[in-house]
Amino acid sequence: MGSSDPLAARAAELHTRALEADALAARYRSERDALIWRLRADEPGRWSYTALARALGCSRELIAQIVRRAQ
């Protein structure tokens, strides 16, 4: 479905790109979460919430949310 209006066509293009970016971001988050769960499972003493947060550059709260989702 196209539009002869250039602004509407540009908005439609950006909408499509935003949907694609959301899907890519979801895949990245899923892979990140799996790696965090693996690190915690393999070496729980080394990979505390604080250690993971520092390594990833995020908050302990985010790590806690990710870890809780696995349980």
Side-chain angles (χ1 to χ4, degrees):
M1 175 177 0
S3 173
S4 60
D5 185 296
L7 292 178
R10 179 66 176 153
E13 176 189 356
L14 294 173
H15 176 69
T16 298
R17 287 186 181 191
L19 291 174
E20 292 166 353
D22 288 344
L24 183 58
R27 286 195 300 273
Y28 287 154
R29 283 189 299 274
S30 178
E31 185 175 353
R32 174 205 61 198
D33 294 357
L35 291 171
I36 288 170
W37 297 329
R38 184 174 172 187
L39 287 166
R40 293 268 305 160
D42 291 350
E43 296 183 78
R46 177 179 177 195
W47 293 110
S48 65
Y49 289 9
T50 300
L52 283 165
R54 285 185 185 140
L56 273 66
C58 64
S59 70
R60 288 183 81 254
E61 291 78 13
L62 176 60
I63 299 298
Q65 287 176 347
I66 293 166
V67 170
R68 280 189 218 117
R69 276 191 294 237
Q71 298 172 349

